[in-house]
Each structure stands twice: as structure tokens, then as C-alpha cells.
DNA sequence: CCTCCTCGTGGAATCGATTACACGAGGGAT
DNA sequence: ATCCCTCGTGTAATCGATTCCACGAGGAGG
């Protein structure tokens, strides 16, 4: 592959001049510029990003470590992150932690070794020493969706508390009293927060959340299935299951279906995170929708702010309840389909 | 950030010796090794991947350019690719082309600039000069899922012909005669092949595929909606719509639902690519399942073979029909749920 | 005791870029 | 005519690693 030296030779100039042309530095003659550009053309030269980054100490690359690529929520987040980053002149390297702390660490390490300019993380756990050290050492970092308390890093997230309250009110109005939740891992903020919000909302209606109605999941489909099975085996099964993410809701549907039961007649279902498929499931699933695209974009802006020396603020955006039929009547006039693809 | 020089100083040795320890070169004394390791520990040193790659001319990184991250099929592909690559000691950088040729080019260029060791592509179009040049110039490359004819690059893909024939036989048996297809872009091999296979299978039953029953889609949900609307507006609408991918099937469901019609009573639906949600849609969707994980793994192995100087062979794996209820009776005894997550 | 190897180590070149500094040519002000 | 800037260019240092080559110490063999 042609290097800058080859271009210099071909153009009959020094590498310094070639470099100046390529970075359009002002003091270079029109003649030199033309010759360099011609040489670049004929050699098909492309600058070596590694060499450039080594010298300039910046990669114009962001690392994004997400908890699970197979989760449509994170997939959409990744898409909006890449889009916004590209608009700001950055590339993104995605690492998929698959909800496994050791994999998360692997990716953080690899990204740091590559000297990315900044890191966007949705932590799977309480934070490994590696990540905490990196944050303390001054690596620009922003938490997105989930975060780690006690670390001085901006957090871009969605607040589901009001939406959860709306959900519980909706369930209560329909007549449900025995409400259960499939929780996410206690090591994650979203895992804890959603349970807390749920419990607080129940209390407003004078309801309890007994221990047997809190199932421990891990944000993946298998755990949703397992926990739902447990609920259905109880002497007094819940009337509603609220899954703390969409994959566990998928698992819950699997479990219900495997027993030949029906939603919402035999048991009602609601989920955190709205995805396009929830419109077409049997029945359409009532869900709490996060402003995913906006979160991704805000996270990138906060991170780039930090990288470029500006403060970089935390952002919290509200989630909202989308009522469909999976919790029973009343059916709303027309449940809107979550909007994808087109960014207005 | 500490460099190898700092480690050398801390250990009281030269950078050469430090480097030898780090790459566990045989000729280094036990004493030196201990001192270097201690220095690495206290400084929290991590080698700079950029510098290393610049010197050794290899990044141990694979580029993967996929057509659309929001498509669960590609998402699963990406996951299996990363998994296999990691097992072989490689990292993966994913570029999302979003079915747009110019974005695909952007990512290929960026990846090439980073001097990735090899490229895995699922081309969105007939191939830009950039990509063809790279292939000709000897960049190790493998096509996955889709490919470009006339380029000397191994292809790892799934053959759906037999499964499409099974599907058409199934539809014919049920009594359907007017079958339509939502095709993918003609610029992609999968776009063309699926139409061809469908037409050939119809012919075996003495059926035609009229032009009005071929809708031009782009593998994204919006086009599925649009095309299905067109079908439903025909004087004689088809009895079955076969969507060439899962997102267009989602769009088709949207369109049918918007008119207050029912699947399969008013119109039947089948799709290429099976995903977990198809089990729980209303009704469960009959689909053609690709061995996605196996494809991703085979593609990585082929690419790594090329990179490491071995031949690197093309692979074709069969797809299979999964019958559910979206095409009407007969209902199979129990339609299996596609397996995710766990790799056996 | 001398010679020859082997082993462990360090010096320095190298990868491909960027950039500080030096330098010569040309033009304007004095 | 002299001085001083500005402009365009080139030389060389530098980023952080790897690796070829040279070198000194020590052991084996004659």
C-alpha cells in the first residue's frame, strides 16, 4: 500500500508538503497542491489512520459498549449513536457485552488499547476496576441508559418513573391487584430503578409488592421464561406480569404460550422498552417507550463535548406509556406504532 | 498514559527487553521478566495497539459491513461473527450500511484506512469501485449472505431454493393460487435470487408470477407496507404475500392491520428469515430460517484462512421452512421456536 | 589456557504520519 | 542598497512499538 513517501516521490516534493496538502494547511502553493493531488490520484493513496493517530494522539473514534446487541433497544441506540457521531466527524466501534461483566471488560480493554478518544458505556454491572480506573484517569466517558453511582461521569438516560406510575394506574383501573415484576439484575441501575418505581407506584394505590412477586431476571429472554414459569406455579399467581425489558417479555410470552394460556385473559403482560414487534404480537403489548434515538444523540454530544474540552452535561429524558391490549380492557381508540427509521 | 519507555525506566532495562517480555520471546532471563512484569503492574501499562500495528503491519481486526443493524437477522449474524473472531484472537469493527451504497462505501473506506486485516461484506449493491479495487488489490475479503458476481472472493451464504420450493408446495396444498412477492433490491443477489426461486417453484405447480404480483421493496419495513398496500388495491389481490425479509414482513403486517384485515383469513403471509418474534405475532408467521450463527462462524473462518495465507473456501448452507399459522391450515403439530442465544 | 557458542541484553533503525525549525527567495519599506 | 517579512519548502525529530545486529559474559570443548 502506497505511503506518503511514495506520494512525495511521485510528486517530486517532500513528505512535509504532501502532508500539508492533505491537511489543507494554508501555506502551500497552488502548483504543489495540484501535483500532490495528482500523485494521490494515480497511486490511489489513502493515509494510514494508525500512523496519523499515533502521531496526533487522537483517533476521532468513540467506543460504545452496550449490554446486548440482540436487544432491539440497544440496537436502535447503537444506530443513533453511530449516526450522530458520523455527523460530528467521529467513527464508532461497538463492543457487545452480552450482559456478561467479563466480556464488557474485554471490550473496554480492547477499546482503550486502541486509544479511542472517548467511551460510551451502558454498564452490565457495578463497574470493574478497569472501567473505574479509566474514568478516574481522565478517559472521556459517558454512561448511557445505565450508570454506576459514585463515579464522576455524565449520565444520559431516560426516566421511567412517571410512565411506570401511569402503567400501574392503568392496571389498577382495569381491576388488577396482584402485580408481579420480572426484574433486571440488581447490579444494574435500570434493574433496581424499575423495581423501585414499580413498588412506589403500587404503594400509591395501597398495594404491596411481595417477595414472591419479584422474579430475578437478567434482561434476557431465557430468564423471562423461567421467572414467568415460577409465577404461574404459585398457589396464587399474579394477575399481571411486568417485564423490565423487551427480551424478558418475549420469554414471558413463550412461557405463557407453552402452557396453553392466553394473554390477557389468563394473565396480563406489560414491558419496559417499546419495539415495533409489540404492535403485532398476540396480543399487542402495552409498553413503556424510551426516546431511544434522542438518548443516543444526546450521549454522543455529551461525550464529544468532554473530548473537546467542554463540560458535557447529564441528560434525563422522560419515557412514556403506550397502552395496547395485553393488560385487558379498556382498549384505547388507536394505539400508535412506535416510529422507527426516519429521523425528523 | 505510560509507554514502553516508562516501563523500561521503571524496570531498569531497555525497551527491547520489555518488548521481549511482553511478546514472550524465549531469550529473556527470569529476573528481567519479573522486573518488567512488576513495572507493568505498578504503572498500569497497556501496549499501544496503534504503535504495535503500525510496526507489525497487522491489526488483528476484522471489518464487518452489514446492510442493516436494525434487522434482527444481521444483528444475529454480527453477534456470531464477533464471537468466532474473538475465539480466533481477532476483534471486529462493525459498519452499518443501512442499505445505502454511499454509507457502505464510507465504512469500507474507514475500515481500510484503519488497516484492518480482512473485510467481511454483505453488499448493498453491485459493488462500488472502491470495494472492487480493494478486492483486486488483495485485501482479504469474504462475502457473507449477499455477494457480487464476477469478483474472485469466497462467498458464505445460505441457499433458500429448496426451502422456497417447500413453501410454495405448502401454499399450494392449502389451496392458494395467487401468490405475490415483496422483493428485495434487484442490485442485491438475495433480492434477485429469492424472486427467481419463487418463480421457479410456482412454475413447478403450473403457476405464473405476473408483474403485478412482484412488488419492489428495499428490505426495510416501510417498503413492505407500501408494496402490500399496492397489492391490496389491485382488482384481484393476491391470496398470499411472501416477503423477502423479516422487516418487509413487519411492514406487510402493518399494512394489513391498518385496513382492519386479518392474516391469514383475508390474506396469507410468509417471510424469508426467521426471528423469535414470529412465534408470537398474530398469527405466528411461517418463515424460512437461515442457519445464521453457522453462517457467521463459517464466514470468519474463511476470512481468517485467507488472512493467514490459507485458501479460504466458499460455503453454502441450506435454509429450511418453518410452518406456522400465517398461511392458513393445516396447522403443524407444534411449530418450533427458533433457538437463540445459546450456542451448543 | 584459548577458542567458540550460547544467552541475555542494549542500541538503533523502522513503520507512516505530523510539525517545529531552518532556510532561501522575493517584495516592500527605509 | 540594505533590512526585514512573508511565503513556500525541506530536514529532521517524534509518536510507541518491534526487531535486526552487535556485544560482553560465561560455559564447554580442545
Amino acid at each position: 500500500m502506497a505511503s506518503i513517501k511514495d506520494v512525495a516521490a511521485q510528486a517530486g516534493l517532500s513528505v512535509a508538503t504532501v502532508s500539508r496538502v492533505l491537511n489543507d494547511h494554508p501555506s502551500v502553493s497552488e502548483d504543489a497542491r495540484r501535483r500532490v493531488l495528482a500523485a494521490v490520484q494515480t497511486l490511489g493513496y489513502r493515509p494510514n489512520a494508525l500512523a496519523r493517530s499515533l502521531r496526533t494522539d487522537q483517533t476521532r473514534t468513540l467506543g460504545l459498549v452496550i449490554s446486548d446487541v440482540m436487544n432491539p433497544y440497544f440496537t436502535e441506540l447503537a444506530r443513533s449513536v453511530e449516526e450522530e457521531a458520523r455527523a460530528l466527524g467521529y467513527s464508532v466501534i461497538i463492543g457487545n457485552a452480552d450482559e456478561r461483566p467479563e466480556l464488557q471488560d474485554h471490550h473496554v480493554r480492547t477499546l482503550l488499547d486502541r486509544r479511542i478518544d472517548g467511551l460510551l458505556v451502558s454498564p452490565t454491572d457495578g463497574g470493574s476496576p478497569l472501567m473505574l480506573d479509566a474514568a478516574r484517569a481522565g478517559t472521556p466517558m459517558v454512561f448511557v441508559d445505565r450508570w454506576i453511582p459514585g463515579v464522576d461521569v455524565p449520565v444520559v438516560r431516560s426516566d421511567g418513573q412517571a410512565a411506570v406510575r401511569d402503567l400501574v394506574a392503568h392496571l389498577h383501573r382495569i381491576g388488577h391487584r396482584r402485580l408481579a415484576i420480572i426484574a433486571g439484575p440488581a447490579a444494574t441501575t435500570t434493574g433496581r430503578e424499575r423495581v423501585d418505581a414499580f413498588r412506589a407506584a403500587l404503594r400509591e394505590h395501597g398495594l404491596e409488592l411481595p417477595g414472591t412477586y419479584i422474579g430475578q431476571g437478567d434482561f434476557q429472554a431465557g430468564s423471562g421464561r423461567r421467572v414467568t414459569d415460577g409465577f404461574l406455579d404459585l398457589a396464587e399467581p399474579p394477575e399481571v406480569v411486568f417485564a423490565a425489558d423487551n427480551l424478558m417479555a418475549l420469554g414471558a410470552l413463550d412461557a405463557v404460550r407453552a402452557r396453553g394460556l392466553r394473554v390477557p385473559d389468563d394473565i396480563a403482560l406489560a414491558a419496559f422498552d417499546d419495539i415495533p414487534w409489540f404492535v403485532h404480537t398476540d396480543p399487542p403489548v402495552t409498553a413503556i417507550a424510551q426516546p431511544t434515538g434522542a438518548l443516543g444523540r444526546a450521549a454522543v454530544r455529551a461525550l464529544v463535548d468532554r473530548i473537546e474540552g467542554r463540560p458535557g452535561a447529564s441528560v434525563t429524558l422522560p419515557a412514556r406509556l403506550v397502552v395496547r391490549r395485553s393488560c385487558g380492557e379498556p382498549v384505547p381508540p388507536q394505539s400508535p406504532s412506535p416510529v422507527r427509521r426516519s429521523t425528523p
Side-chain angles (χ1 to χ4, degrees), chain A residues 68-342:
Chain A
D68 185 0
V69 251
M70 302 287 286
N71 185 326
Y73 167 71
F74 285 112
T75 264
E76 190 181 352
L77 189 69
R79 184 172 181 276
S80 66
V81 162
E82 197 274 338
E83 217 159 62
E84 183 75 6
R86 183 153 32 81
L88 297 177
Y90 285 80
S91 302
V92 176
I93 302 183
I94 302 175
N96 171 31
D98 241 350
E99 302 288 0
R100 285 154 52 190
E102 79 279 10
L103 243 188
Q104 167 179 281
D105 247 37
H106 166 84
H107 284 118
V108 169
R109 198 186 318 277
T110 309
L111 290 166
L112 255 23
D113 285 355
R114 280 178 197 276
R115 301 302 193 263
I116 44 141
D117 293 340
L119 197 56
L120 236 37
V121 191
S122 162
T124 297
D125 64 354
S128 59
L130 176 66
M131 210 160 69
L132 301 179
D133 285 352
R136 262 191 292 274
T139 309
M141 202 185 276
V142 166
F143 290 138
V144 57
D145 184 58
R146 313 178 182 175
W147 82 99
I148 300 175
V151 187
D152 181 29
V153 161
V155 178
V156 173
R157 53 179 283 254
S158 161
D159 181 8
Q161 217 172 317
V164 169
R165 197 179 310 126
D166 291 347
L167 170 66
V168 170
H170 167 70
L171 296 168
H172 190 268
R173 196 176 320 121
I174 290 174
H176 296 307
R177 293 297 178 270
R178 299 199 308 278
L179 316 190
I181 185 168
I182 311 177
T188 63
T189 46
T190 49
R192 292 192 299 273
E193 275 172 357
R194 292 172 191 176
V195 174
D196 293 346
F198 194 59
R199 182 185 286 116
L202 287 182
R203 190 158 304 146
E204 287 182 20
H205 291 86
L207 299 175
E208 281 301 307
L209 181 59
T212 46
Y213 281 5
I214 306 179
Q216 193 53 58
D218 61 4
F219 283 139
Q220 305 214 16
S223 70
R225 200 153 30 220
R226 233 175 7 255
V227 168
T228 305
D229 261 333
F231 286 155
L232 293 172
D233 283 339
L234 290 175
E236 192 167 54
E239 296 158 329
V240 184
V241 172
F242 174 41
D245 87 337
N246 71 80
L247 290 179
M248 296 193 297
L250 170 64
L253 281 172
D254 281 345
V256 171
R257 176 174 232 270
R259 301 203 175 203
L261 300 177
R262 302 274 311 161
V263 174
D265 313 286
D266 299 306
I267 190 162
L269 177 70
F272 211 103
D273 293 340
D274 195 17
I275 61 170
W277 297 105
F278 278 164
V279 178
H280 297 291
T281 45
D282 176 26
V285 175
T286 292
I288 292 178
Q290 298 195 49
T292 320
L295 285 176
R297 289 189 293 274
V300 170
R301 282 193 299 268
L303 182 57
V304 170
D305 278 348
R306 287 219 112 177
I307 291 172
E308 298 180 353
R310 296 182 295 273
S314 290
V315 174
T316 305
L317 300 173
R320 65 173 219 292
L321 177 66
V322 178
V323 175
R324 299 204 183 87
R325 294 210 318 274
S326 65
C327 299
E329 300 303 324
V331 185
Q334 179 65 325
S335 51
S337 156
V339 177
R340 297 286 141 141
R341 297 263 73 120
S342 57

